[in-house]
Amino acid sequence: EVQLVESGGGVVRPGGSLRLSCAASGFIFEDYEMSWVRQTPGKGLEWVSVINWNGDSTAYADSVKGRFTISRDNANNSVYLQMNSLRAEDTALYYCAKEGGYWGQGMLVTVSS
Amino acid sequence: QAVVTQEPSLTVSPGGTVTLTCGSSTGAVTSNHYPYWVQQKPGQAPRTLIYDTRNKHSWTPARFSGSLLGGKAALTLSGAQPEDEAEYYCLLSYDGPRVFGGGTKLTVL
């Protein structure tokens, strides 16, 4: 059974940094691309970033480009999202997602002074 | 980045059929956009119903199907059930970046 478990969320001040982690199990992790998606409470889904199977190709939404970095560790079946220069508008529930459409339960990130 | 468009809201009668569509500002949607359809109910995590245009997961009810229709991606629900009332999002791939549509609120009434 595919399982994706996010961690690392919390409250951070504007301008601060946070690193989200996603621990994957139930599939051959290194065979699949992984993504991060976020959702502001009461709003729609926003795709954030994707990383290919071995980490040498990434893509970002314009809203986070230059501030967020996606990475992965295939030895530890984990994908990460390093979030720098955080803004109030980055406040959201962040989901880890596997290629093919499997989702974690989400991790709340709140950017507030 | 591209803009992905969906109907803001649709209503279907129980047992009825409805088609949700997903268009792209860059032109016709093709299989190379690898369309996904994601269902989300209030308070729940998203759940993917369709990926890569028409592929279903084990949990996808048979009444849902994905296709390309008139230059758009389409999700057809045949035989709507009350539990199908939800928000539906499409996701398109643009050779790297992905973009979600704004979602369609489907009411079964």
Side-chain angles (χ1 to χ4, degrees):
Chain A
E1 179 194 2
V2 172
Q3 286 200 322
L4 302 169
V5 180
E6 301 95 340
S7 61
V11 181
V12 61
R13 294 189 185 279
S17 297
L18 212 55
R19 189 195 197 208
L20 299 183
S21 300
C22 171
S25 60
F27 63 99
I28 302 173
F29 182 73
E30 64 188 19
D31 283 354
Y32 295 94
E33 70 177 28
M34 298 294 295
S35 295
W36 288 95
V37 174
R38 68 185 182 183
Q39 185 170 35
T40 302
K43 299 286 180 63
L45 298 172
E46 181 186 12
W47 176 83
V48 173
S49 183
V50 65
I51 188 166
N52 75 332
W53 68 277
N54 67 356
D56 67 1
S57 177
T58 59
Y60 299 90
D62 286 348
S63 58
V64 307
K65 202 173 293 182
R67 300 188 298 123
F68 289 13
T69 302
I70 191 171
S71 62
R72 66 188 296 159
D73 180 348
N74 286 346
N76 288 299
N77 291 352
S78 295
V79 61
Y80 308 99
L81 187 67
Q82 178 67 44
M83 303 183 293
N84 298 331
S85 303
L86 282 161
R87 308 166 180 167
E89 54 264 36
D90 295 318
T91 294
L93 195 56
Y94 284 74
Y95 293 100
C96 171
K98 170 190 169 292
E99 176 184 349
Y102 293 82
W103 297 73
Q105 285 303 302
M107 176 59 56
L108 184 61
V109 171
T110 302
V111 183
S112 173
S113 55
Chain B
Q1 278 180 329
V3 175
V4 176
T5 55
Q6 299 182 243
E7 299 86 1
S9 63
L10 290 170
T11 300
V12 61
S13 300
T17 296
V18 64
T19 297
L20 288 65
T21 68
C22 174
S24 172
S25 63
T26 62
V29 175
T30 72
S31 58
N32 290 329
H33 288 96
Y34 304 99
Y36 278 49
W37 288 95
V38 177
Q39 179 192 63
Q40 189 176 36
K41 297 180 180 179
Q44 296 184 15
R47 182 175 80 149
T48 301
L49 297 178
I50 301 288
Y51 64 99
D52 295 350
T53 305
R54 62 185 77 246
N55 294 317
K56 298 183 183 183
H57 281 290
S58 58
W59 56 77
T60 305
R63 59 186 178 273
F64 288 96
S65 63
S67 64
L68 296 176
L69 204 61
K72 295 183 178 183
L75 176 71
T76 299
L77 170 58
S78 303
Q81 301 296 310
E83 60 264 31
D84 299 328
E85 188 161 295
E87 194 83 24
Y88 292 84
Y89 297 92
C90 75
L91 174 70
L92 299 181
S93 176
Y94 292 89
D95 194 25
R98 276 72 160 161
V99 181
F100 278 100
T104 295
K105 182 174 174 57
L106 181 67
T107 300
V108 181
L109 192 62

